[in-house]
Amino acid sequence: MNDHAVTRVFKTAWFTKAAKKAHIDDDELCYAIRQAMLGQADDLGGGVYKKRLNRNMHRGIILAKGKKHWVYVYLFAKQDRPNIEEDELIAFRAQADLYARKTHEDLAKELAISQLMEICQ
């Protein structure tokens, strides 16, 4: 996974709970990130990507503005909703901007309080 020394992959606390409930493990998430890095994800613009997970039963929203940090932030079942709404996309783009500006110290603080979990190391 460390093709790029600066590339790091995270999942938020909310996403961690949702993925556990959906039986999606870190190995699958890491595989999906590698695919996304190769362009095999829907680019929704502004550093927001949508990726199929769990044998196409779920969709994960990944933030990766600047592609230095890849952060799983949202998960939904395809059967529950076809896509995210426009206002959600706008909010995810703003969140992607925030993550793009985070320093290693900012990330360390979020990891320390379990707001983020690092995967794919």
Side-chain angles (χ1 to χ4, degrees), residues 14-96:
W14 184 93
F15 187 94
T16 299
K17 290 177 192 164
K20 184 175 182 178
K21 188 175 176 183
H23 307 289
I24 301 170
D25 64 20
D26 288 354
D27 288 342
E28 180 174 352
L29 296 175
C30 293
Y31 179 75
I33 283 290
R34 286 192 296 274
Q35 290 180 312
M37 288 176 173
L38 295 172
Q40 298 170 2
D42 295 327
D43 186 346
L44 305 180
V48 181
Y49 297 85
K50 181 173 67 173
K51 184 68 182 146
R52 293 180 179 137
L53 299 167
N54 200 14
R55 293 184 309 280
N56 203 22
M57 295 190 315
H58 291 84
R59 300 289 185 268
I61 298 296
I62 306 164
L63 306 181
K65 187 154 192 170
K67 299 183 181 174
K68 188 167 69 170
H69 309 119
W70 294 73
V71 185
Y72 281 101
V73 293
Y74 188 63
L75 182 72
F76 62 96
K78 185 179 158 188
Q79 70 181 22
D80 293 343
R81 59 188 299 190
N83 212 338
I84 58 173
E85 301 294 326
E86 186 64 27
D87 61 332
E88 292 173 303
L89 178 56
I90 290 167
F92 285 134
R93 286 176 178 157
Q95 197 176 5

Side-chain angles (χ1 to χ4, degrees), residues 95-112:
Q95 197 176 5
D97 286 340
L98 290 175
Y99 274 108
R101 292 193 302 268
K102 287 188 188 273
T103 64
H104 289 294
E105 292 78 21
D106 295 331
L107 295 170
K109 288 176 189 172
E110 291 185 35
L111 288 165

